[in-house]
Amino acid sequence: MVLHTGWWKSTLRAMSDVMIETVNLHRGYRIGEKTIEVLHGIDLRIDRGERVFLCGPSGAGKTTLLYTLAGLERPEQGAVRIGGVDLYAMSRKQQARFRNLQIGYVFQNFHLLPELTALENVAVPGAIAGRDSTAAACRALERVGLAERGDHLPAELSGGEQQRVAIARAIVNEPKVLFADEPTGNLDSRNSSEIMKILLDLATEHGVTLVVVTHDQQLAKVGDRTLVIRDGSIHPEE
Ligand SMILES: Nc1ncnc2c1ncn2[C@@H]1O[C@H](COP(=O)(O)OP(=O)(O)OP(=O)(O)O)[C@@H](O)[C@H]1O
Ligand SMILES: [Mg+2]
């Protein structure tokens, strides 16, 4: 029997069950004459269901890396594969649909729509997917312990509650991958532990692959692996 190389490659990938893979990822910003190299050839492999924490100093490129992994910021060079699918090789329309259904993203500053209620905010990704999303949005709010706050506008919620609404919105379409950028950044320790438990439970109970940015190396210890980004490269925890 003659086995095609492509067959071997795809079989090996399935066996190792890599969920997120980057190859030689480069990303920089140009301000006038100056270029800042933020990601400098990053090679990363994260397994399905793995819970990875990403640490590093302010300005090191944590948000830039997360954006690039989630299909929100095209790298200048390199590839990002989610479940074997090359994110930046798709058309914009295909990519938007893939993101909507497969990827959840909790933004560093929540990014809730101020004129929509908590429930309406959570329903947005479902509506984009063409689903009747109110029931799913209610379930997601319940999951983060905010069933009673559905009618509140973001301005009528505390920081921790807004963060939980942002998580509910990120999980409403039951994504396979969840990125969370400093989800406990402005919270006290009790709220931080609660938010972290919600995220970890998602990974444990639903096999969601989790990548969480945090400044708090202590908090990061609950994950399977901690990566540190410094000088444009990824290092294992020191
Ligand atoms: N749109 C942009 N234009 C120009 N420079 C940018 C842009 N976004 C980020 N940068 C620069 O890229 C670098 C990395 O920024 P990034 O937001 O990824 O850092 P970070 O590790 O998330 O920091 P923090 O912990 O403060 O959130 C910083 O030096 C920042 O000034
Ligand atoms: Mg950031």
Side-chain angles (χ1 to χ4, degrees), residues 125-186:
I128 290 172
R131 296 170 175 167
D132 176 12
S133 52
T134 310
C138 284
R139 279 198 303 276
L141 270 183
E142 218 164 278
R143 205 180 163 93
V144 299
L146 274 189
E148 307 297 310
R149 293 285 190 276
D151 291 338
H152 286 233
L153 293 172
E156 298 164 345
L157 295 167
S158 74
E161 288 169 346
Q162 289 182 47
Q163 191 59 284
R164 281 189 275 166
V165 174
I167 293 174
R169 180 181 57 184
I171 63 173
V172 71
N173 280 348
E174 298 178 2
K176 295 198 171 59
V177 180
L178 183 61
F179 297 104
D181 196 349
E182 295 277 4
T184 62
N186 303 308

Side-chain angles (χ1 to χ4, degrees), residues 29 31 36 38 56-65 108 181-182 215:
Y29 295 106
I31 304 280
I36 310 168
V38 181
S58 181
K62 302 181 295 296
T63 297
T64 305
L65 177 59
Q108 189 163 11
D181 196 349
E182 295 277 4
H215 274 112

Side-chain angles (χ1 to χ4, degrees), residues 29-65:
Y29 295 106
R30 206 179 159 79
I31 304 280
E33 296 292 290
K34 230 175 84 189
T35 302
I36 310 168
E37 271 272 12
V38 181
L39 309 179
H40 197 73
I42 287 188
D43 293 306
L44 195 60
R45 286 160 77 96
I46 297 174
D47 286 339
R48 192 179 302 271
E50 202 179 359
R51 302 161 310 174
V52 172
F53 281 75
L54 181 63
C55 297
S58 181
K62 302 181 295 296
T63 297
T64 305
L65 177 59

